[in-house]
């Protein structure tokens, strides 16, 4: 079986659900848009710690002279079994407020 890489790129909607089918141990690369220096931070959560393994997180360097510059955060995961992951974009000190954006990625592993 050949390992494949699947890509999920955020489209500009405030709340979204992404459905994806993969094979076991395939890689999933999730890219979300962000505004660097705005105070908003993306947080990745998985209710089941055995669902996937985070292989890496990459936040490309930003232009330090421009606050609020648009950029991306990239998360690379290895999928172990079917499950869900959640990404929320909020200011860490505003825990009582709804996130600015939220994304749910529902992953189905074919032939588990």
């Amino acid at each position: 079986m050949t390992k494949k890489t699947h890509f999920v790129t955020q489209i500009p909607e405030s709340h979204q659900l992404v459905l994806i089918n993969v094979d076991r141990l395939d890689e999933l690369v999730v890219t979300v848009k962000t505004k660097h220096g705005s105070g908003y931070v993306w947080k990745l959560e998985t209710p089941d710690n055995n669902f996937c393994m985070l292989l890496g997180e990459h936040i490309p360097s930003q232009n330090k002279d421009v606050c609020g510059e648009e950029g991306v955060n990239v998360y690379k995961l290895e999928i172990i079994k079917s499950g869900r992951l959640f990404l929320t974009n909020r200011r860490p000190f505003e825990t009582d407020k709804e996130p600015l954006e939220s994304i749910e990625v529902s992953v189905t592993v074919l032939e588990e």
Side-chain angles (χ1 to χ4, degrees):
M1 177 169 65
T2 304
K3 184 185 262 191
K4 293 179 274 222
T5 301
H6 304 268
F7 296 89
V8 174
T9 303
Q10 177 190 357
I11 56 175
E13 294 179 18
S14 61
H15 301 279
Q16 64 186 23
L17 170 64
V18 177
L19 305 172
I20 190 162
N21 296 320
V22 301
D23 291 322
R24 187 174 183 279
L25 302 181
D26 278 358
E27 291 179 357
L28 179 62
V29 177
V30 180
T31 303
V32 290
K33 293 179 183 176
T34 191
K35 287 194 181 222
H36 298 295
S38 66
Y40 284 90
V41 178
W42 281 101
K43 182 177 181 182
L44 183 137
E45 298 178 283
T46 58
D48 180 352
N49 291 334
N50 298 318
F51 152 63
C52 65
M53 181 174 23
L54 181 63
L55 300 175
E57 178 180 351
H58 177 64
I59 302 170
S61 63
Q62 67 226 29
N63 181 348
K64 303 216 184 314
D65 297 329
V66 182
C67 186
E69 178 184 43
E70 290 203 7
V72 295
N73 291 13
V74 181
Y75 301 91
K76 185 175 183 180
L77 307 128
E78 181 177 66
I79 304 301
I80 299 166
K81 65 180 188 175
S82 296
R84 296 177 303 157
L85 63 96
F86 299 91
L87 291 123
T88 53
N89 190 12
R90 67 167 19 119
R91 291 182 175 134
F93 55 87
E94 294 181 337
T95 56
D96 58 331
K97 293 186 178 180
E98 288 294 313
L100 178 66
E101 298 174 87
S102 62
I103 301 168
E104 177 182 352
V105 180
S106 179
V107 179
T108 302
V109 173
L110 305 172
E111 299 181 29
E112 280 192 87

